[in-house]
Every structure is written in structure tokens, then in C-alpha cells.
Amino acid sequence: MAEEVIDLGKMTRDFKKEAMKIIPGGGNLDLCLNCGTCAAGCPATGLADLDPRKFLRMILLGLDEEATKSPWVWMCTGCQRCIYACPMQIDIPRLVYNARATWPREERPKGILGSCDMALKNASGSAMGASPDDFIFVVEDVLEEVKDTQPGWDELQAPIDKKGAHFFINQNSREPVTEPDELIPLWKLLHVAGIDWTYGSKGWAGENYCMFLADDKSWEHVTRTSIMQCAELGCKVYLNTE
Amino acid sequence: MRKGFGDPVADDLRFVVKSLVGEENFVEMWPNKSNNYCCGGGGGFLQSGFTEERRAYGQIKLDQILATKADYCIAACHNCHAQIHDLSELSGKHFPVVHLWTLICLSLGILGPNEREYLGDDLKEVNMPEQKE
């Protein structure tokens, strides 16, 4: 039972207004039928006492603070199943993203914040903070070891900053930093298939925690660094392996 | 798939997986493709500090996987791999979770001895390429 009546007249619905300006096509926010299809098929339903339907209803009512400050906004993965299932194609994940962005940066989850800040430390864009030199060292070291220990791979390549390569391929930091042997299968496949590819010394890291942090400026910086390296090298295709 | 190139790409990946393991060894989970559930590894959840909630979120995916009774789960994405591996260990079922590149190289006979971390014991020695002395 509600403890007090919500006075709709007092609600400014600022968050909704701002969101509708940003979301392509306005996000269809006013078209909610309240059917609950989104909530029924969302794995985050019930976490932090929220679900996509409740979250949207709160925003539509103008309960901006209660909705946007709920830790639930960090428990939605943005998988978009709710949009896919919704008869009105309402963009709830984008609302969640905007809600994340209303949090003071230093109050956002430490792990995500730290991973974004690591990516801003150097030109790698790596959430684990590995520098371009670290990356080059690991790649060369692993490649050398394959050639020394496995027969038939003398021509195996793991190019970095190869000008004019067709594919610019990025790499999740987890391999070079914590399990470098897992780099090798991809190199072998590219070699067997005769693919012309390269990593970049800058922007080689595939992950982007600044996006999850809803820090637009940093997200753009990390992405731009990588894309510009691809353009600088004259590669034809930017292949995001993440 | 839902967020990217859609079900046609999901079908392409099924072609790859079936070519690797054999049509009869591929078990589809349900629901699947664009109607599938997220495992809970995405969106920064793995780094958010909400571990208990992340695992509760993943319960649907775990149930889906266990219902297939398949021996292996393939995860073509890093976040998914980390999350599903965690769910596997935590459930006590310990089903192997493998990257796609591992299975492709294994089937081609070019997967080196140090590249088999995520294979189960049944495949650890299978199709092992020659080593230098």
C-alpha cells in the first residue's frame, strides 16, 4: 500500500523531457501500454526491487530522483531484449544509460570508473592500463615463442601498425595482460585464412568501460583514438573483436 | 546479435559451429537468437561490484544452458565468457566454456598445447599438433 499519494501536479518530469530530446525518435516513451512484456522477459527484473516496466513508469510519473538514483541502473546490461519484445519499441536501455549519466562521476561504481580511468591513462585505451609498449612487448614475445616451440609457424605474423593493412583488429586487454597464450589461436586463424591485418600501437584495446560508465566525453576519446589510428594506417576495415 | 547484425549473423555462426562439431552435436538453447536472454556479463556488470545481483541475473542463462545437457558451452564474446565461466564454476557443474577460436583451431589441428586452458579433460589431448624437440 502506498504511504502517500503521489501528486502528479508537482512533478516536473525533467528527466523524461531531456531524454526525449536525446533519444532518436523520442524513444516512444509516451506509448507505453503498461503490459509488462519487458519486465516478464528481463533477467534484471526483481533486482534492487525494480524492473524495466516499473523503471519506465517511475520516469513517466516524474519520480526522477527515485528512478535514476536506484542502483538498478547499474544492473541493466543494456541487452535491448525489452525493446525487441515491446509492442511499442520503447527504448528503455537508453533511458537507463541517461540515468547512469545523471550520477556524479565519482559516485558511479568504482570498478567501472577505475576501468574507464585506466583507459584514459595512455594511448592504448586499455581498461587494464597496459601501455602501448607493454602490448608490443607481449605480442612480440608470444609470437617468438610460438615460432620457437611449434613447427610450421615460421611465417606467422602479429603485425602492429602495419600501414595499408586491410583489417585493423582490436584486442580485449584480458589476453595480453592475463592470458597471452589465448592470443595465438586468432593469429593462427588469420594466417591460415590469408588475411591482411594489423593491430594498432594506439587504440589496440577493444573494451570501452567509459561507455558503460556513461561518460560520453571519455567514451568518445577512447573510441576516437582507436579509429584515428586505423585511419592513420590507411586500413580499410575497422574490425571490433569485442 | 540482437544489438548488432541480427539473426542472419546468428545463422552464420551456427554454420561455423555445426561445421566444427558436427550437426548432431550442436544443441540449440531456448529461447535463442534475438529472443535469447543476456547472460549478465555486459554493460559493465562484471566490474560494477554488484556480484550477488550479477549472479542472480545470470540464473536464467545458467538454467538455459543446463537444460540443453550439452557438454560444452561456446561463448564468442569476452564478457559472456567470463560471466558464464563464473556461473559454471559457482553452480558446481563445471561445464567448460570455450572461445570460438579455440574450437576452430582444435578442429583444424593447429591448437597448441598452451592454448587449451578452457578445454575439458576429454579434449585436452585431441588433435594435438606436433611439437618441436
Side-chain angles (χ1 to χ4, degrees):
Chain A
M1 205 167 74
E3 280 158 25
E4 56 182 307
V5 175
I6 299 169
D7 183 349
L8 295 177
K10 286 183 187 163
M11 303 296 178
T12 58
R13 297 183 185 81
D14 290 339
F15 181 76
K16 182 196 155 199
K17 283 178 202 154
E18 285 308 306
M20 289 186 82
K21 277 188 217 159
I22 303 168
I23 305 176
N28 290 352
L29 301 189
D30 284 327
L31 303 183
C32 176
L33 305 171
N34 213 356
C35 68
T37 305
C38 53
C42 171
T45 286
L47 301 178
D49 202 27
L50 271 186
D51 62 54
R53 189 191 69 90
K54 271 193 195 174
F55 180 75
L56 179 62
R57 300 314 300 176
M58 288 167 80
I59 299 295
L60 294 179
L61 282 170
L63 298 170
D64 293 1
E65 190 71 12
E66 291 87 340
T68 60
K69 290 296 173 287
S70 166
W72 188 79
V73 301
W74 302 100
M75 297 169 192
C76 159
T77 61
C79 79
Q80 302 190 353
R81 193 179 194 276
C82 53
I83 309 180
Y84 183 75
C86 176
M88 307 314 286
Q89 306 288 295
I90 298 176
D91 196 345
I92 297 175
R94 192 53 203 264
L95 270 186
V96 170
Y97 181 90
N98 290 359
R100 287 184 180 194
T102 66
W103 288 45
R105 196 174 186 277
E106 65 281 5
E107 287 175 24
R108 300 178 199 178
K110 281 195 185 68
I112 304 177
L113 180 68
S115 296
C116 173
D117 285 345
M118 280 290 185
L120 300 174
K121 260 177 51 177
N122 55 55
S124 298
S126 162
M128 299 172 96
S131 70
D133 284 346
D134 293 342
F135 180 64
I136 293 166
F137 175 80
V138 170
V139 167
E140 287 177 351
D141 192 50
V142 171
L143 183 65
E144 217 40 54
E145 197 183 318
V146 176
K147 291 180 177 181
D148 285 350
T149 58
Q150 302 192 36
W153 294 104
D154 296 332
E155 303 297 315
L156 185 69
Q157 291 183 18
I160 299 175
D161 291 342
K162 180 183 171 190
K163 279 206 163 40
H166 190 80
F167 291 99
F168 181 95
I169 296 184
N170 64 19
Q171 178 75 55
N172 186 291
S173 296
R174 202 170 87 179
E175 276 91 34
V177 178
T178 66
E179 43 184 13
D181 285 330
E182 289 290 323
L183 289 163
I184 307 166
L186 179 63
W187 300 347
K188 286 179 174 174
L189 293 179
L190 292 165
H191 181 76
V192 169
I195 305 292
D196 178 25
W197 69 284
T198 187
Y199 288 130
S201 59
K202 295 177 185 169
W204 56 265
E207 69 278 3
N208 194 335
Y209 274 84
C210 299
M211 174 177 74
F212 301 143
L213 189 67
D215 176 348
D216 285 347
K217 216 176 129 206
S218 304
W219 172 10
E220 182 183 334
H221 170 79
V222 170
T223 303
R224 188 175 289 279
T225 303
S226 189
I227 297 289
M228 289 316 288
Q229 185 68 6
C230 171
E232 186 83 14
L233 295 171
C235 300
K236 306 281 181 300
V237 180
Y238 183 91
L239 198 59
N240 189 356
T241 58
E242 265 303 284
Chain B
M1 292 302 123
R2 188 161 54 230
K3 291 173 71 170
F5 299 106
D7 286 350
V9 174
D11 287 327
D12 288 349
L13 281 174
R14 277 161 178 73
F15 170 78
V16 173
V17 173
K18 286 175 185 175
S19 303
L20 298 175
V21 304
E23 180 104 32
E24 68 282 10
N25 292 316
F26 175 69
V27 192
E28 191 78 73
M29 69 170 65
W30 189 91
N32 52 56
K33 300 183 186 171
S34 284
N35 216 16
N36 211 328
Y37 297 104
C38 167
C39 66
F45 217 163
L46 281 164
Q47 300 282 0
S48 70
F50 296 112
T51 308
E52 197 185 315
E53 289 85 353
R54 172 173 58 76
R55 286 169 173 164
Y57 185 115
Q59 189 62 45
I60 293 179
K61 180 56 68 187
L62 179 62
D63 292 344
Q64 274 184 294
I65 295 168
L66 295 178
T68 65
K69 297 191 164 46
D71 297 324
Y72 278 77
C73 177
I74 302 171
C77 144
H78 264 90
N79 285 327
C80 301
H81 185 272
Q83 166 76 343
I84 298 172
H85 192 264
D86 183 56
L87 294 171
S88 168
E89 294 304 302
L90 210 78
S91 67
K93 303 291 183 185
H94 306 289
F95 55 86
V97 186
V98 290
H99 294 289
L100 199 50
W101 62 59
T102 305
L103 279 194
I104 301 175
C105 284
L106 177 65
S107 73
L108 290 171
I110 57 173
L111 190 68
N114 298 336
E115 298 147 32
R116 298 176 174 239
E117 171 75 18
Y118 294 106
L119 289 180
D121 289 340
D122 54 343
L123 292 179
K124 280 270 197 253
E125 304 296 328
V126 171
N127 247 3
M128 185 70 83
E130 255 180 73
Q131 298 304 301
K132 281 186 183 171
E133 292 302 318

